[in-house]
Amino acid sequence: MNVIWAHIHESIKARASEFTLGLILLAMSAVLAFNTTLFADQAAIYRGFMRYLDQPSWALLCAVVGGVRLVVLGINGFWHRSPLLRAICAYLSCVVWFLLSSGVYASGTYGLGLAIYPVLLLSDSYNVLRTTGDAREADRRRRHRLDGRDTRAH
């Protein structure tokens, strides 16, 4: 049991920002789903977001991207390595962070979101680079294993 817990702990530690960013998307989805008049009540702030999607669609987008990402991270950390799926999820999260960043800018209110969403975009951009590197390495190991070569020699 201690070996399993150690593996889970290492997986979470190594991918902390990926888990965090996925959880942020899920939390945003919950706020958007339960506070159904948020965009209407604060129209000036959310005007830029509404250029892209209405509030229920934002809630759904954040739930799907964040939820799928956490499932992929769970599979990757606990059962099977899936760096390519992690890279795809990080890229999709970048799309969300970019839309949110440009929505705050487009609203003209220049609120705190303009300081937060671009940083989240940069963080996930780094995750895209890191996970594509992990995917390349996993593919290289798989090819070498199939060829019967030792992967540690390269």
Side-chain angles (χ1 to χ4, degrees), residues 9 22 44 47 53 65 78 80 83 90 95 100 102 105 111 124 126 132-133 152:
H9 182 264
R47 178 180 37 239
L53 299 169
V65 174
F78 309 129
H80 178 70
V95 171
L100 291 168
S102 61
Y105 181 79
D124 253 336
Y126 175 74
T132 53
R152 291 167 294 225

Side-chain angles (χ1 to χ4, degrees), residues 6 22 27 33 37-38 48 52 60 72 76 82-83 86 94 136 150 154:
T37 61
L38 181 67
Y52 303 116
L60 180 62
V72 165
N76 183 82
S82 53
R86 285 177 40 230
C94 282
R136 263 191 314 277
D150 187 293
H154 297 273

Side-chain angles (χ1 to χ4, degrees), residues 37-59:
T37 61
L38 181 67
F39 281 15
D41 293 344
Q42 300 178 36
I45 295 171
Y46 296 107
R47 178 180 37 239
F49 294 175
M50 291 185 286
R51 289 176 45 173
Y52 303 116
L53 299 169
D54 61 10
Q55 184 173 336
S57 298
W58 273 111

Side-chain angles (χ1 to χ4, degrees), residues 21 24 28 49 96-98 100-102 104 110-124:
L21 292 162
I24 290 171
M28 289 175 60
F49 294 175
V96 174
W97 302 132
F98 175 78
L100 291 168
S101 297
S102 61
V104 171
Y110 310 120
L112 290 176
L114 202 53
I116 297 167
Y117 298 130
V119 173
L120 300 178
L121 173 60
L122 288 174
S123 181
D124 253 336

Side-chain angles (χ1 to χ4, degrees), residues 3-16 19 77-78:
V3 173
I4 294 170
W5 178 248
H7 177 71
I8 291 170
H9 182 264
E10 284 302 312
S11 178
I12 291 171
K13 189 168 75 171
R15 294 167 184 82
F19 277 104
F78 309 129

Side-chain angles (χ1 to χ4, degrees), residues 142-149:
R142 186 187 58 77
R143 279 184 282 136
H144 285 266
R145 193 172 48 249
L146 292 174
D147 292 344
R149 291 183 265 167

